Amino acid sequence: MSQNTRNIIGKLWSLCDVLRDDGITYHQYVTELSYLLFLKLAKETGTEGLIRKGSRWDAIVGEPAPDRLAAYRRALEQLSSSSSKLVRAIFANATTSIRKPGALDIIVDEINNLDWYSEARLGDIYEGLLAKNAEEKKSGAGQYFTPRPLIDSMVALMKPSLDDIIQDPAAGTGGFLVAANRYIREHSDPGAWTEAMQRKYRRGTFYGMEHVQDTHRLALMNLLLHGIDAEPNGAGIRCGDTLSEEGAALPKATLILTNPPFGTKNGGGRPSRTDLDFSTSNKQFCFLQHVYLGLKPRGRAAVVVPDNVLFEGGVGKQIRTALMAKCNLHTILRLPTGIFYAQGVKTNVLFFTRGESDEDNTRSVWVYDLRSNVPTFGKRSTLTRAHFKDFERSFGSDPLGSPKSLSRRKDTGEAGRFRQFTREWIAQRDESLDIAWLPSEDVADRGRELAPGELVAEIEAELLAALEEIRSLQAELPGAGEDRP
């Protein structure tokens, strides 16, 4: 990212502090920017034909300052009923949080002052704003935002290509699809693509689903600014519930990249899908089933999951067993703590490939421990792509994890971070994949006292994890969810 791009991100983000006097939150500000950037983008790219004349950029900003906010409100109402599916999806139920005309003027002036033809790419600017929003805990947006260094590492290892059908069933703001698109374009020559290849790229490569409407509009905008066809009812990101029949309708994929939501479904309810092998209220286990069932034979996946997916008994054990039967679960990456929006959350990345048959596909699992003896990440210690360098080298160049490529890996032994465990050994552990051999991650902190804030964060994380486990267990009890007197 260029310094010019960083400067623009900083300038746009600083406006939020000014606008907070008008009661506008960080998340509302990013949403307002999405509306206005879309209108400005349509003007700059000559694609305003999708928008009624009275709702276009010039029609709004051309109004006298006292009348501009009223014109903007009318435009949002008209845009929400546009004949264009894309426009209608971005502006679905759109309303403005701005109450003072002067606040709108500030945003409009800054957007007008952007150099739309400079080296700064609008997609990078928007991604930067989404990252800023995720860093603000009060915005609540962190749950929809996966750290970009982690995304870039997962994408690089999975090596997406134009031949792929790529899916993210928990799309959030679209980070995985944007990164996959960037990788494809950087590792091929788009100028040499045939008409058929262009058509496949635009209409049959990127698919996703996001349940939250506000987040869905941010995702559509993100894809649009990165040059991806964001048609919400075809390729692109659809607004819907992956754990309903809407998710079952997503096309089978050759590559799935995702960070599903954690926890249980609201009220402990079960997903309404009928094609899942096992019924549970635990969302991450439901999404994991969606992923392995949604892969074509030899399709590959990289999925972020919390620690409990690796060891939970009951239906959790059954789902792990099914995963290792249907797929070659060749690699687990134990991630450092502190890289997600809730401090102390412990997560992993599962890398697996769907087999040609549904039996006996996992022969061994390689585990890379990037958690033990690693400092907790946060605002003071930032996660970067460099932190994944040794893991990527150890993983190798084969995204499928074929037997030949796995035979070239080196087990570092008990003193190292990368080890191989046989399927038989895992079965003897009651199918638990929660495998650790290095000293506890707490060892790295011995010799120093935890700051009060760090101590509170650790206690909070442990309590939240325990609460989620209790809820999950309650949901599994006979009669759970029934009305009680």
Side-chain angles (χ1 to χ4, degrees), residues 21 35 102 115 118 129 139 150 156 158 163 166 173 254 256 264 277 307 327-328 370 375 381 389 416 419 421 435 478:
D21 291 338
Y35 299 151
D115 183 355
S118 71
L129 291 169
S139 77
L150 172 58
M158 291 294 96
D163 295 328
I166 305 169
T173 54
T254 60
I256 295 180
T264 57
D277 292 334
D307 270 13
C327 302
N328 175 18
L370 192 57
S381 179
K389 185 176 179 180
R419 299 193 63 194
F421 301 89
I435 304 169

Side-chain angles (χ1 to χ4, degrees), residues 61 133 252 290:
V61 302
N133 191 33
K252 295 279 187 179
H290 167 87

